[in-house]
Amino acid sequence: MSRIAYVNGRYLPHRHASVHVEDRGYQFADGVYEVCEVFNGGLVDKRRHLDRLERSLRELFIPAPMSRIALANVLEEVVRRNGVRDGLVYLQVTRGVARRDHAFPPAGTKPSVVVTARRSDRKGQEALAAKGVAVITVPENRWPRVDIKSISLLPNVLAKQQAKEAGAREAWFVDSAGFVTEGASTNAWIVTGGKTIVTRPAESGILRGITRTVVLDVAADLGYAVEERAFTVAEALAAEEAFITAATTVVMPVVRIDGHAVGAGTPGVVASTLRLKFHDFSEVS
């Protein structure tokens, strides 16, 4: 089955899907994106993803490309046309096509929209979660507005490549004060010896992850204590557990940081339980 992409009003074979050479996403990374999990054929937390998309567009003064209902229909149709039962759907909105100039293009320039979907290996992800993953730490070098889900991700790309070359799955950014901010594509968490879950507040310095939001609900329902505060690399290394969250990973246990074992060096009960219960609390539609 050939893949299908949506590009500016048309459903096209993936190999023929393209954007204009003067699309501002291509020339300036002037756009935003969302990645939504597909679980058993349904979109996970679609409402929350569209809420965040609208916020990102407002923060960058990019007009909505279409109504919320129409955009939701496009996401669902791309998933359907690609026959995705378990996987991801990717949505990107840019400021549109215009003559190259740093300032905004003329009023009325239509935003560009691209949507793609792909399958993922759920069994493979579960096997990975059963083993846990490694992360490395890298200096924070991103722009301050990481609360906007911008397509400008070059520092994240370099961090991910550094992690890959080190045999790790993720890189955690560390600020100048020595505190972990977040991963290159995930939110970062630790669990203390007293079974308290700790993650950095989302008011500044990190993206307010949709999976992060749901995990907080799961943790509260299960009776776990949660502290939204910054934590250091040293505290993470001394933690009983660590994990990362994102639509691409759900809850993924971290068993090594910079080559050092976290806790017993195996996935812990808190992270594993949060992963097991996650889809009982997320909105699947």
Side-chain angles (χ1 to χ4, degrees), residues 120-141:
S120 62
D121 178 7
R122 191 196 292 187
K123 288 184 178 180
Q125 284 290 304
E126 293 302 329
L128 186 64
K131 292 173 54 180
V133 300
V135 304
I136 63 168
T137 59
V138 297
E140 177 66 86
N141 62 348

Side-chain angles (χ1 to χ4, degrees), residues 7 71 100 128 140 179 187 205 283:
V7 182
L71 193 54
R100 190 181 189 280
L128 186 64
E140 177 66 86
F179 291 100
N187 287 126
E283 300 172 2

